[in-house]
């Protein structure tokens, strides 16, 4: 008997290890395979029993469910996992293997298409590799949506004795966990993507800057790097191609701003995580002053499937200039939270109401913050906005790393606006005045509004304009998004408190 249980940290937090212990005690002869998560967090720990090649799901499993899981009589039986609505409706390209394979089995990885992309890339020139990424339309999944191929072209064209690939695995945005799930559930995909990037732009060394709060991801990815090196996938002669690429995992410093690429590079160099002025671009003067590709985990982990299936295959999915798939992370006050990979173009309302099943509290949805702590609060009236970079921009929002936090109608939006300013004040690197001082003044100004000071309202708008226009990076520059969206879409929350004070 073969049983699959996730070792993903979300599943572990929900009791996966106790379920594994109960399974081992009840069925010592069963082969237990540890996997990543399928992304249906409300069903974790999700146990899968393989029967005639079909994986039958049971969840959320508790140790007391084990006898019923083993004889198939459990009330938590879900049927074939692949037939569940959540799974069937997805287009899993980047996450195709997550939850399916043993994350640390290179043979399992290859049996599911792994390394096909790298083998194809190794037969190409650097320029052909860069052209393939450009043709796929891939844009950075870390937040800004910058075209990945153009960034790679700049590094490819730079003349330097050493170039680097740096993977941004700091994943600091609220409601985001796609990077973690990928690194814990299918780490070889990231390694393969980084190797393709290195060979494409002529970088022989890579670093993954991985947030310190992710000990499981650090352990799994570090082990995968060791295995990859031992198997010749990394090192001086990648898959016997005569081309070199190696990489290391580095633990992050634990600051939100260290996810900003130049601050990250400073931190990686052992310096304080302070934002650098641009220019120079990291693509020209990045890690240790050398040309550096800085890409998000999902951007890099999407590269293998582009090379496996072809740029056109990938580009055929999506909407407008947002090509391929988006890995939505649905969280907050939501009935069904988790990771859902789908082509760009799905509407916000479909994600929240249809996939997420509305709020966990059962109350009406009030707002959804999309794009982490710097993202706008989208009201229900914007629910027809399709997930696409330009479409969200037009609607006054941003997609960012595609994390969605759902709030119900009890949420006080003035409080959320205050929180955005407070977050910026706490996390500011301190380099520029509009952010360092502005965020502190922002908290004070919102407190004045809460006390009923009407004069403070135009002051807040003015302050937001200054922060937007004058900040050096998006921490100070984008904090006005949550603040102003709260004020614009939920003016009653600002007035109600004012009235109460009168
Ligand atoms: C304050 C701040 C925090 C950021 N945090 C992250 C992060 O945790 N992960 C990430 O990939 N990008 C983050 N970014 C975006 C990076 O600066 C950069 O755009 C990204 O790593 C580039 O990779 P991509 O082109 O693949 O998206 C952050 C930006 C800012 C301003
Ligand atoms: S906006 Fe804030 S975080 Fe960014 S450089 Fe200025 S002070 Fe630092």
């Amino acid at each position: 008997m073969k049983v699959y249980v996730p070792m993903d940290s979300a599943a572990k937090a929900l009791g996966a290890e106790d379920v594994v212990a109960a399974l081992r005690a009840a069925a010592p002869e069963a082969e237990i395979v540890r996997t990543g998560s399928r992304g249906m967090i409300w069903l974790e720990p999700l146990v899968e029993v393989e029967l005639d090649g079909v994986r039958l799901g049971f969840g959320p499993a508790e140790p007391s469910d084990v006898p019923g899981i083993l004889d198939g009589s459990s009330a938590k039986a879900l049927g074939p996992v692949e037939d569940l609505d959540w799974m069937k409706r997805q287009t899993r390209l980047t996450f195709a293997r997550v939850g399916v394979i043993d994350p640390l089995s290179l043979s399992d990885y290859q049996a599911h298409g792994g390394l096909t992309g790298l083998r194809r890339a190794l037969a190409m020139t650097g320029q052909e590799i860069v052209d393939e990424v450009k043709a796929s339309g891939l844009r950075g999944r870390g937040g800004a949506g910058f075209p990945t191929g153009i960034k790679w072209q700049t590094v490819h064209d730079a003349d330097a004795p050493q170039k680097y690939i740096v993977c941004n695995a700091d994943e600091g945005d609220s409601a985001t966990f796609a990077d973690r799930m990928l690194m814990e559930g299918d780490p070889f995909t990231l390694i393969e993507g980084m190797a393709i990037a290195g060979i494409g732009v002529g970088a022989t060394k890579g670093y993954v800057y991985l947030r310190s709060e992710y000990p499981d991801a650090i352990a799994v990815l570090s082990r995968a790097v060791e295995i990859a090196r031992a198997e010749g996938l990394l090192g001086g002669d990648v898959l016997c191609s005569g081309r070199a690429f190696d990489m290391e995992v580095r633990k992050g410093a634990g600051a939100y701003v260290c996810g900003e690429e130049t601050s990250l590079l400073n931190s990686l160099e052992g310096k304080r995580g302070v934002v650098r002025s641009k220019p120079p671009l990291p693509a020209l003067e990045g890690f240790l002053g050398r040309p550096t590709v800085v890409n998000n985990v999902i951007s890099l982990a999407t590269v293998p499937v582009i090379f496996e299936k072809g740029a056109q295959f990938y580009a055929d999915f999506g909407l407008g200039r947002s090509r391929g798939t988006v890995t939505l992370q649905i969280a907050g006050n939501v009935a069904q939270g988790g990771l859902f990979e789908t082509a760009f173009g799905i509407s916000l309302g479909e994600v929240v109401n249809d996939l997420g099943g509305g709020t966990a509290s059962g109350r009406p949805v009030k707002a959804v913050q999309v794009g982490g702590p710097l993202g706008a609060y989208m009201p229900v009236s914007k629910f027809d906005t399709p997930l696409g970079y330009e479409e969200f921009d037009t609607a006054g929002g941003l997609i960012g790393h595609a994390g969605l936090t759902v709030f119900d109608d009890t949420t006080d939006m003035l409080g959320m606006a205050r929180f955005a300013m407070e977050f910026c004040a706490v996390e500011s690197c301190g380099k520029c005045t509009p952010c360092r001082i502005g965020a502190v003044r922002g908290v004070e100004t919102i407190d004045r509004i809460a006390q009923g000071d009407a004069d403070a309202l135009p002051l807040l708008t003015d302050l937001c304009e200054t922060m937007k226009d004058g900040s050096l990076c998006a921490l100070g520059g984008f904090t006005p998004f949550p603040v102003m969206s709260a004020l614009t879409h939920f003016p009653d929350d600002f007035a109600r408190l004012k009235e109460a004070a009168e």
Side-chain angles (χ1 to χ4, degrees):
M1 179 183 241
K2 210 167 178 181
V3 185
Y4 300 83
V5 188
M7 61 174 194
D8 177 276
S9 42
K12 281 164 89 174
L14 291 162
E17 299 313 296
D18 292 343
V19 174
V20 168
L23 279 164
R24 289 219 166 97
E29 74 292 352
E31 182 191 349
I32 299 176
V33 181
R34 304 305 300 269
T35 61
S37 168
R38 296 273 196 169
M40 297 173 282
I41 305 297
W42 75 98
L43 292 179
E44 293 290 6
L46 175 65
V47 175
E48 299 178 27
V49 178
E50 193 172 289
L51 210 65
D52 301 327
V54 178
R55 283 162 66 159
L56 304 171
F58 299 86
E62 291 170 50
S64 57
D65 298 321
V66 164
I69 291 173
L70 292 171
D71 68 19
S73 67
S74 172
K76 293 193 180 159
L78 302 161
V81 173
E82 297 288 351
D83 290 350
L84 294 174
D85 200 40
W86 182 275
M87 296 305 299
K88 272 203 308 204
R89 293 174 65 177
Q90 292 187 64
T91 302
R92 284 213 166 203
L93 302 182
T94 310
F95 277 74
R97 287 175 286 259
V98 176
V100 177
I101 63 164
D102 170 352
L104 289 173
S105 165
L106 197 52
S107 56
D108 217 359
Y109 180 67
Q110 292 189 75
H112 287 81
L115 299 188
T116 315
L118 177 57
R119 289 208 167 87
R120 182 169 163 240
L122 285 168
M124 297 166 118
T125 64
Q127 185 58 55
E128 284 168 346
I129 291 174
V130 173
D131 287 343
E132 186 77 356
V133 176
K134 279 189 194 162
S136 74
L138 179 67
R139 292 167 72 175
R141 301 291 192 249
F146 188 80
T148 307
I150 293 179
K151 191 182 282 187
W152 289 22
Q153 185 72 64
T154 309
V155 179
H156 172 274
D157 293 349
D159 187 18
Q162 180 69 54
K163 301 178 191 179
Y164 296 100
I165 307 295
V166 170
C167 171
N168 189 340
D170 203 48
E171 197 162 53
D173 281 357
S174 42
T176 61
F177 43 87
D179 297 354
R180 179 189 61 69
M181 275 187 56
L182 191 286
M183 291 184 288
E184 290 180 4
D186 190 14
F188 291 122
T189 296
L190 176 57
I191 295 170
E192 184 179 348
M194 288 184 69
I196 295 173
I199 297 202
V201 305
T204 52
K205 186 85 208 234
Y207 294 91
V208 180
Y209 185 88
L210 215 167
R211 64 180 292 150
S212 57
E213 296 91 333
Y214 282 174
D216 287 5
I218 292 172
V220 175
L221 186 63
S222 302
R223 182 71 196 116
V225 167
E226 281 171 11
I227 296 168
R229 200 175 290 129
E231 298 291 329
L233 159 57
L234 293 173
D237 187 15
V238 172
L239 297 180
C240 306
S241 64
R243 290 150 107 170
F245 184 75
D246 209 341
M247 59 185 276
E248 280 176 41
V249 177
R250 291 288 175 89
K251 206 192 313 187
Y256 179 69
V257 77
C258 284
E260 192 282 332
E261 57 185 3
T262 62
S263 183
L264 183 156
L265 291 170
N266 273 336
S267 178
L268 198 58
E269 290 177 9
K271 299 173 184 152
R272 215 181 105 201
V274 180
V275 173
R276 297 177 185 171
S277 306
K278 286 192 255 189
L281 291 172
L284 294 172
E285 286 180 42
F287 184 58
L288 300 175
R290 300 298 192 196
T292 304
V293 167
V294 183
N295 270 144
N296 172 254
V297 173
I298 303 302
S299 317
L300 289 163
T302 299
V303 168
V305 74
I306 290 170
F307 282 78
E308 180 192 345
K309 307 230 186 231
Q312 192 56 50
F313 170 87
Y314 190 77
D316 282 346
F317 296 96
L319 169 80
R321 288 180 49 221
S322 309
R323 307 314 311 165
T325 56
V326 55
T327 47
L328 300 166
Q329 299 132 84
I330 309 167
N333 186 345
V334 68
Q336 296 189 158
L339 183 129
F340 192 93
E341 182 178 355
T342 186
F344 281 102
I346 188 171
S347 75
L348 179 59
E350 198 180 343
V351 176
V352 176
N353 294 326
D354 204 10
L355 302 174
T359 62
S361 61
R363 299 188 62 92
V365 174
K366 181 163 184 173
V368 185
Q369 190 178 28
V370 186
L374 310 177
Y377 288 101
M378 305 288 277
V380 174
S381 60
K382 301 249 178 194
F383 269 20
D384 57 356
T385 310
L387 265 289
Y389 293 107
E390 281 66 34
E391 292 72 13
F392 254 63
D393 188 37
T394 306
L398 56 102
I399 293 183
H401 190 40
L404 289 87
T405 312
V406 181
F407 296 88
D408 77 9
D409 63 346
T410 61
T411 311
D412 159 30
M413 298 309 291
L414 180 139
M416 299 314 292
R418 185 186 192 281
F419 175 72
M421 282 292 188
E422 193 185 8
F423 179 82
C424 183
V426 170
E427 298 293 341
S428 169
C429 83
K431 180 145 178 164
C432 66
T433 313
C435 169
R436 185 185 67 245
I437 307 287
V440 178
R441 295 289 169 263
V443 174
E444 292 166 3
T445 311
I446 293 172
D447 283 345
R448 278 174 58 188
I449 296 169
Q451 307 283 314
D453 181 351
D455 294 343
L457 267 171
L459 206 58
L460 181 64
T461 310
D462 201 33
L463 179 62
C464 280
E465 283 301 315
T466 306
M467 288 177 72
K468 210 159 71 177
D469 296 340
S471 295
L472 187 56
C473 86
L475 180 44
F478 282 22
T479 293
F481 270 95
V483 176
M484 289 309 295
S485 59
L487 184 58
T488 309
H489 300 305
F490 307 98
D492 288 356
D493 284 15
F494 290 74
R496 198 163 53 232
L497 282 152
K498 185 182 141 195
E499 280 157 16
E502 280 165 0

